[in-house]
Amino acid sequence: MKKAGTLFVHGITPVEAGTGAISTPIFQSATFCHPALGQSTGYDYSRCQNPTRRELEMSMALFEHGKYGLAFSSGMGAISTLIKLFQPGDHLIVSEDLYGGTFRLFNEYYAHYGYIFSWVDTSDFAKIEAATRPETKGLFIETPSNPMMKVTDIRHCADFIHRTRGYLIVDNTFLSPYFQNPLDLGADFVVHSGTKYLSGHNDTLAGIIVHSNYEAEEVLRQAQMSEGATLAPFDAWLTLRGLKTLALRMGKHEENGKKIAAYLRAHPSVEKVFYTGFDDHPQHALSSYQARGHSGMISFYLKKAEYVPKLLASVKLILFAESLGGVESLITYPLVQTHSAIPEEMRLSAGVNDRLIRISCGIEEADDLIEDLEAAIPRQST
Ligand SMILES: *Cc1c(COP(=O)(O)O)cnc(C)c1O
């Protein structure tokens, strides 16, 4: 088996057989001609399957060590499809500190259809056990969590939920397959917002599921085809193109993350920095066991909420925008952006207050990013 960095460059099909094309062709066709009655080339209609999308799906299955891959028009499309594995009345335990859009989808839509969700700090295993009921059929975790960078033990969760034949789903968006492969640790399904590190250039939306469960594959394929949140050929190509440099980019994101986290920690106007790459991160040992690195995601509390508007107005290189994982560094204010859908009490108990800032370190030079922050974070005159 070749190393991940090599696999990312070549994908599942290094050269297209028909033409020798090295870059996967963009099959911009809605429909495909049948050779004869009852015959198919394997492609009938692009909502069901498309060759460019398939290249991405099979490549992601290779990268995440699964048998099957499915690509969607967004991460939310992928997550929504995974819920089709459950029935109304089923109970799912979900990380409390997770992407706000996932909370909204579960709480404002699926909860009304009779699915039951418990929001739990899954980094604390006792809390998972305490939330478990006879009808618990699934665990949905984000690790590291968003935005508090708490780490959940994937193997422990998998062993636990498998005892009652439930499923463990891991949202691996923050680390990408370069740093973490949840299926190897026992997870049943790995899901990504391909919009983030996978495509990596803030230029497309995409969602990915990878798994190895034959029965579930039938359910997921059917749901994907029926609901139609499938990834367009050009967006599949952009994601494939992004993946070629995943290893290079992740290395630089992490290098910048380490430098910027250290800079922020030493800043007198910063109260606390949340970064899994710190040796004294509360779950450092677990994170070193289950992941190979830390990406470029950092959150921190400023000492005063009044610093926030000044910081967001003053950054120049680091762009004030939602999202993460692209080559451009982005700064986010979770309270009003990614986490605005989460009720106040729950948001505060998860740690998302009015002084919390999240940075996705891009691949610019760290010194320039630090210079940008230095000019933007107020220093209290004493
Ligand atoms: C962005 C994100 C999503 C949603 O993905 P979209 O591509 O925006 O639909 C899900 N999970 C995490 C962790 C994310 O960061």
Side-chain angles (χ1 to χ4, degrees):
M1 185 77 161
K2 301 271 188 301
K3 291 195 168 150
T6 304
L7 297 177
F8 296 147
V9 174
H10 293 280
I12 196 94
T13 316
V15 176
E16 201 253 340
T19 61
I22 287 169
S23 168
T24 305
I26 302 166
F27 286 89
Q28 193 65 47
S29 188
T31 188
F32 299 84
C33 188
H34 303 299
L37 181 64
Q39 288 182 21
S40 165
T41 58
Y43 297 96
D44 304 310
Y45 189 66
S46 276
R47 175 157 39 73
C48 313
Q49 195 46 281
N50 172 282
T52 314
R53 194 172 94 222
R54 184 166 173 79
E55 177 65 21
L56 173 63
E57 293 180 335
M58 297 314 295
S59 295
M60 276 305 300
L62 176 72
F63 305 157
E64 278 290 18
H65 307 165
K67 274 197 196 136
Y68 309 106
L70 300 99
F72 298 84
S73 51
S74 69
M76 294 321 302
I79 292 170
S80 184
T81 300
L82 281 167
I83 299 300
K84 307 303 178 302
L85 295 168
F86 303 95
Q87 306 292 326
D90 286 354
H91 173 243
L92 281 93
I93 297 172
V94 186
S95 298
E96 70 173 353
D97 158 26
L98 92 171
Y99 181 66
T102 307
F103 175 83
R104 183 175 51 222
L105 177 71
F106 291 174
N107 195 52
E108 292 179 21
Y109 293 90
Y110 286 104
H112 295 305
Y113 304 149
Y115 299 78
I116 306 157
F117 300 96
S118 290
W119 309 92
V120 168
D121 175 0
T122 52
S123 70
D124 181 349
F125 191 70
K127 291 189 177 154
I128 297 180
E129 282 184 309
T132 302
R133 309 172 185 183
E135 61 276 19
T136 302
K137 294 285 164 55
L139 259 168
F140 184 105
I141 62 173
E142 248 178 58
T143 179
S145 70
N146 181 4
M148 305 311 293
M149 312 297 163
K150 290 181 182 168
V151 181
T152 294
D153 190 329
I154 298 175
R155 191 178 288 281
H156 211 153
C157 284
D159 291 348
F160 179 74
I161 199 75
H162 290 161
R163 269 183 245 148
T164 51
R165 299 180 176 277
Y167 288 142
L168 172 65
I169 301 168
V170 180
D171 184 331
N172 202 28
T173 301
F174 266 36
L175 287 180
S176 90
Y178 183 64
F179 283 135
Q180 181 167 274
N181 295 113
L183 299 186
D184 292 351
L185 297 155
D188 300 284
F189 301 91
V190 54
V191 62
H192 282 276
S193 169
T195 314
K196 316 295 169 57
Y197 284 115
L198 300 183
S199 60
H201 293 72
N202 290 319
D203 56 9
T204 185
L205 275 85
I208 303 282
I209 298 171
V210 176
H211 70 104
S212 298
N213 182 317
Y214 179 76
E215 285 92 41
E217 175 66 3
E218 298 240 333
V219 176
L220 295 173
R221 272 287 158 210
Q222 196 68 21
Q224 183 195 40
M225 181 182 77
S226 305
E227 293 189 327
T230 50
L231 192 63
F234 183 62
D235 296 350
W237 182 84
L238 279 172
T239 309
L240 282 164
R241 155 113 159 196
L243 279 164
K244 287 179 189 289
T245 55
L246 183 67
L248 269 179
R249 287 187 287 108
M250 292 313 284
K252 185 71 174 173
H253 287 300
E254 181 180 51
E255 184 191 316
N256 284 352
K258 286 210 161 102
K259 288 182 183 161
I260 289 163
Y263 161 79
L264 287 169
R265 191 175 234 192
H267 198 291
S269 302
V270 172
E271 183 184 292
K272 189 165 183 192
V273 181
F274 304 93
Y275 177 59
T276 57
F278 286 144
D279 291 346
D280 58 357
H281 181 281
Q283 289 121 352
H284 186 259
L286 171 60
S287 134
S288 317
Y289 165 72
Q290 68 183 21
R292 296 176 289 272
H294 305 281
S295 83
M297 296 306 299
I298 301 167
S299 297
F300 59 99
Y301 287 146
L302 285 164
K303 284 196 177 145
K304 294 184 180 166
E306 68 200 53
Y307 295 159
V308 172
K310 161 91 179 23
L311 166 61
L312 297 177
S314 311
V315 279
K316 293 195 173 67
L317 200 56
I318 304 176
L319 305 171
F320 174 34
E322 246 163 275
S323 202
L324 63 105
V327 289
E328 297 91 358
S329 294
L330 302 182
I331 190 163
T332 312
Y333 189 32
L335 173 73
V336 300
Q337 293 178 300
T338 50
H339 289 64
S340 59
I342 300 182
E344 184 178 6
E345 192 188 333
M346 195 178 147
R347 195 169 38 69
L348 289 176
S349 106
V352 181
N353 63 22
D354 61 354
R355 293 179 292 117
L356 182 79
I357 296 285
R358 192 186 77 185
I359 294 182
S360 167
C361 301
I363 63 163
E364 303 93 336
E365 293 303 330
D367 290 349
D368 291 330
L369 296 171
I370 288 171
E371 196 179 292
D372 201 35
L373 288 169
E374 184 58 31
I377 304 177
R379 282 190 187 250
Q380 206 169 6
S381 47
T382 43

